[in-house]
Amino acid sequence: MKLISAIIKPFKLDDVREALSEVGVNGITITEVKGFGRQKGHTEMYRGAEYVVDFLPKIKVEIACSDEMVDVIIESIIKVANTGKIGDGKIFVSPLERVIRIRTGEYDENAL
């Protein structure tokens, strides 16, 4: 099992959700996050004063899946989240050691 975490631009969320649904992903977790990478941030004016906005709003999408689904999910995210511009985001894949469904007590793949 794997945990896929994708950091995407906020306006791409609906497209990513639809693409994941089409490939059979039943559940995702969404978190509003802020951060920066090469994109760095930008300068804004407020009441005549200039200040730097370092942390840009992003969306973190998390998907717990079987090993067999990893490549399909990654390709789906890349296909719809790519704008070709800096700040499109990143995808991280981590091993997932244990999953337990609280309601039924099911474990691992059965709990996904």
Side-chain angles (χ1 to χ4, degrees):
M1 295 178 301
K2 301 288 187 214
L3 178 64
I4 300 172
S5 299
I7 309 297
I8 62 170
K9 291 183 174 184
F11 68 89
K12 286 294 189 174
L13 176 58
D14 287 337
D15 295 338
V16 168
R17 185 187 52 77
E18 287 176 23
L20 292 172
S21 181
E22 287 175 12
V23 297
V25 173
N26 295 326
I28 61 175
T29 301
I30 305 298
T31 310
E32 292 180 6
V33 296
K34 292 184 182 216
F36 69 91
R38 290 184 184 161
Q39 195 176 8
K40 296 292 185 232
H42 60 279
T43 304
E44 289 189 4
M45 294 290 288
Y46 180 72
R47 294 187 178 185
E50 192 174 276
Y51 68 100
V52 176
V53 178
D54 289 331
F55 296 101
L56 302 170
K58 301 287 183 177
I59 297 291
K60 182 177 184 181
V61 180
E62 294 178 300
I63 306 115
C65 66
S66 64
D67 292 338
E68 295 80 29
M69 287 293 294
V70 172
D71 291 333
V72 173
I73 291 170
I74 289 171
E75 291 304 317
S76 295
I77 294 170
I78 290 170
K79 182 178 172 184
V80 297
N82 182 9
T83 66
K85 297 189 171 113
I86 193 165
D88 276 350
K90 294 227 179 2
I91 300 173
F92 305 95
V93 180
S94 308
L96 193 57
E97 291 187 27
R98 206 84 199 255
V99 177
I100 299 109
R101 179 171 293 155
I102 295 172
R103 180 177 54 86
T104 62
E106 292 171 291
Y107 282 85
D108 302 329
E109 301 253 347
N110 293 329
L112 293 177

